[in-house]
Amino acid sequence: MSLGSLLIHRGLLFAIVLTWVQYPAVEADSFNVIEKLHENLLESYNKQIRPVMNHTQAVNLQAGLTLTNFDFDESLSKFSAKGFFYMEWKDPRFMWSPADYEGLKSIHLPSEKVWKPDLEVYNSYGTLSDDRSFAANDVLITSDGTVIFVPISKLDSICISDATLYPFDSVTCTTIIGSWTHNAYEININTRKNTTTVDVQDLTSRRMLQWNLMSTNASIEVKVYDCCPEPYANLRLSFTMQRSLSASSAVITPTVVIAILTLAIFFIPPAVGAKLVVGVLNVVVHCIFLLYLKTILPSGSINTPVIVSFYSGSLVAAMFSVLFTILSLRWTRFPKLIPPPALIQNCLTGRVGILLGVEHKYSSNRFAQKELIEKNSQQFVSNDSESRDVEIQQEWLSVCLALDRIMVFIYCTFMAVSISSFLC
């Protein structure tokens, strides 16, 4: 080996030795304080045991929801609240001195390795499942033993709507959350920071396609069940929603048009044949809209909607309008030798007739009388018998006109009652 090669070899060896002396190897546990704390906290930890020093004490749990989105399917009676479900409690086994761990005051641990309250949605829509309600996020633990668990949650609950005042109805859906096995003496649930509402600051929008979120409420209920003598505490999150105006206009506008059309039919002279055509079309429109309401109204509604009752009553009125029109055409277009009963004539010539505007047998619609006289003048010779036939037909025409006006009064009263049901 040459002198140069020997010098280079020894120089490299000297550099390696010098580097090793200046930068000694560092043991892993001497700098990874988080791993050290992690091992110390979970070394003898049992996640099946409640975090209390005395088994007679209760775990004070603060819970609340930060709502980010919501959905209500009234056809399925299903309400979904989506957001961050906040839970906070103390676990004395997770207390440490930050000075012993280089000032470390908090640490994240997997949620499946620590004790958590076994919360479930009592009125859950479907089967109970932790994977469905609360995601398995990490927990945040501080040096004083405080455990904060904020999983991304989707809380599906049963909510039956009351469509009595559809489409001006509102609904309050309540999601009930509580421990499935621990009573109030073991887990004491309180609202987060003693708030009485749900946090909606991160809500994407307070409006859905058909519903607007009007208000929220958060409260604690303590209840004793028949199965167990101990009380159980639960968190009740209530959401009050109002049906949107866009959904209402699709129903109210046709309803107003159909109501005006039905009312206008009664003012068409009884002897006009076109009244029968309009009346039949009106009945068909009523039937079609009732079928349409069946498709859009929730099947699980508690009571019958007022609007369905209105269309049912309006359909009956439209049917009577068609029936009176048929009788009017039968009594005025063909000779009828039998006059109206005396009782009816007395009513029409008395106070009832005055109220209805048909107190005289010739006070019926002038247009119908003129058409009737012209038709009879072409078919019959002017004599006493023929004149009497015309008078009898006019008397029956007055009866039909009186029936129409009675139906106008009944229909207007029916509409007033229906409208007052929405306003009250």
Side-chain angles (χ1 to χ4, degrees):
M1 178 180 296
S2 63
L3 179 60
S5 299
L6 181 60
L7 291 176
I8 294 175
H9 181 268
R10 291 184 177 181
L12 291 175
L13 181 61
F14 176 76
I16 293 174
V17 173
L18 182 63
T19 304
W20 184 269
V21 173
Q22 291 181 353
Y23 303 98
V26 182
E27 295 181 2
D29 59 355
S30 64
F31 71 91
N32 196 342
V33 66
I34 297 179
E35 182 178 356
K36 180 180 178 180
L37 178 59
H38 183 280
E39 293 176 352
N40 291 342
L41 292 178
L42 299 179
E43 182 178 1
S44 59
Y45 185 85
N46 188 345
K47 67 177 183 180
Q48 305 298 332
I49 307 301
R50 287 188 307 116
V52 289
M53 300 299 295
N54 190 330
H55 71 279
T56 60
Q57 295 177 346
V59 177
N60 292 318
L61 173 66
Q62 293 189 25
L65 177 68
T66 298
L67 189 67
T68 59
N69 197 5
F70 70 98
D71 184 37
F72 178 50
D73 190 339
E74 55 184 330
S75 62
L76 298 177
S77 300
K78 177 182 178 181
F79 176 78
S80 299
K82 305 174 185 177
F84 310 115
F85 193 81
Y86 182 91
M87 289 176 277
E88 179 182 330
W89 67 93
K90 281 187 177 295
D91 193 333
R93 295 169 292 183
F94 287 149
M95 298 178 65
W96 72 87
S97 175
D100 296 338
Y101 296 92
E102 301 179 6
L104 186 63
K105 297 182 179 180
S106 63
I107 187 175
H108 292 84
L109 293 179
S111 60
E112 62 271 10
K113 292 186 178 182
V114 303
W115 180 91
K116 300 187 301 297
D118 58 337
L119 298 185
E120 283 288 359
V121 180
Y122 285 179
N123 57 339
S124 173
Y125 189 92
T127 59
L128 299 178
S129 172
D130 287 338
D131 295 336
R132 173 187 55 78
S133 299
F134 306 104
N137 303 94
D138 288 348
V139 298
L140 174 65
I141 302 175
T142 59
S143 59
D144 61 350
T146 301
V147 182
I148 300 176
F149 182 38
V150 189
I152 301 174
S153 308
K154 180 183 178 183
L155 309 176
D156 295 335
S157 57
I158 299 174
C159 181
I160 301 176
S161 62
D162 184 3
T164 303
L165 300 180
Y166 180 91
F168 301 109
D169 54 328
S170 61
V171 60
T172 299
C173 295
T174 301
T175 302
I176 306 174
I177 305 171
S179 174
W180 193 249
T181 58
H182 296 287
N183 56 54
Y185 298 139
E186 298 174 333
I187 297 181
N188 181 31
I189 303 178
N190 296 290
T191 59
R192 181 185 179 186
K193 298 180 180 179
N194 295 323
T195 57
T196 58
T197 58
V198 177
D199 185 4
V200 295
Q201 293 183 357
D202 295 329
L203 184 61
T204 304
S205 175
R206 298 181 70 95
R207 294 186 178 184
M208 291 172 48
L209 181 61
Q210 292 189 356
W211 297 95
N212 299 331
L213 183 63
M214 307 303 296
S215 63
T216 62
N217 180 264
S219 62
I220 301 297
E221 180 189 51
V222 179
K223 186 175 181 181
V224 178
Y225 297 93
D226 297 336
C227 66
C228 313
E230 301 86 1
Y232 283 79
N234 58 73
L235 174 65
R236 301 175 66 90
L237 304 176
S238 300
F239 307 86
T240 301
M241 297 171 290
Q242 178 77 39
R243 195 178 297 274
S244 63
L245 183 60
S246 58
S248 304
S249 60
V251 177
I252 293 302
T253 303
T255 301
V256 173
V257 173
I258 292 175
I260 295 176
L261 175 62
T262 304
L263 190 62
I265 291 176
F266 292 111
F267 290 94
I268 300 178
V272 177
K275 182 177 181 179
L276 180 61
V277 178
V278 178
V280 171
L281 291 176
N282 189 33
V283 171
V284 173
V285 170
H286 275 80
C287 294
I288 293 176
F289 210 84
L290 278 173
L291 293 176
Y292 169 70
L293 289 177
K294 182 181 179 181
T295 61
I296 63 175
L297 288 175
S299 57
S301 177
I302 300 175
N303 301 314
T304 302
V306 175
I307 193 168
V308 174
S309 301
F310 171 77
Y311 270 100
S312 300
S314 183
L315 177 60
V316 174
M319 180 198 67
F320 274 108
S321 175
V322 173
L323 179 61
F324 293 159
T325 302
I326 295 175
L327 294 178
S328 300
L329 295 176
R330 175 66 180 84
W331 290 334
T332 58
R333 294 296 178 91
F334 302 96
K336 188 171 183 64
L337 302 179
I338 301 176
L343 179 62
I344 296 179
Q345 295 186 41
N346 293 333
C347 290
L348 296 182
T349 55
R351 293 183 178 180
V352 176
I354 295 175
L355 293 175
L356 297 176
V358 291
E359 70 279 4
H360 192 272
K361 64 181 179 180
Y362 296 106
S363 63
S364 59
N365 186 274
R366 297 301 180 184
F367 174 81
Q369 289 186 18
K370 181 179 180 181
E371 181 185 16
L372 186 62
I373 294 174
E374 290 178 355
K375 183 177 179 181
N376 281 275
S377 63
Q378 296 175 2
Q379 295 179 353
F380 305 103
V381 181
S382 178
N383 53 44
D384 294 339
S385 176
E386 294 169 350
S387 299
R388 179 55 185 161
D389 290 341
V390 173
E391 291 178 0
I392 292 175
Q393 290 176 334
Q394 291 175 343
E395 290 174 358
W396 281 111
L397 187 62
S398 298
V399 172
C400 296
L401 184 61
L403 291 175
D404 274 347
R405 294 182 177 179
I406 291 174
M407 285 303 302
V408 168
F409 174 76
I410 295 176
Y411 192 72
C412 290
T413 304
F414 176 69
M415 285 196 302
V417 172
S418 299
I419 294 174
S420 64
S421 299
F422 290 106
L423 299 179
C424 295

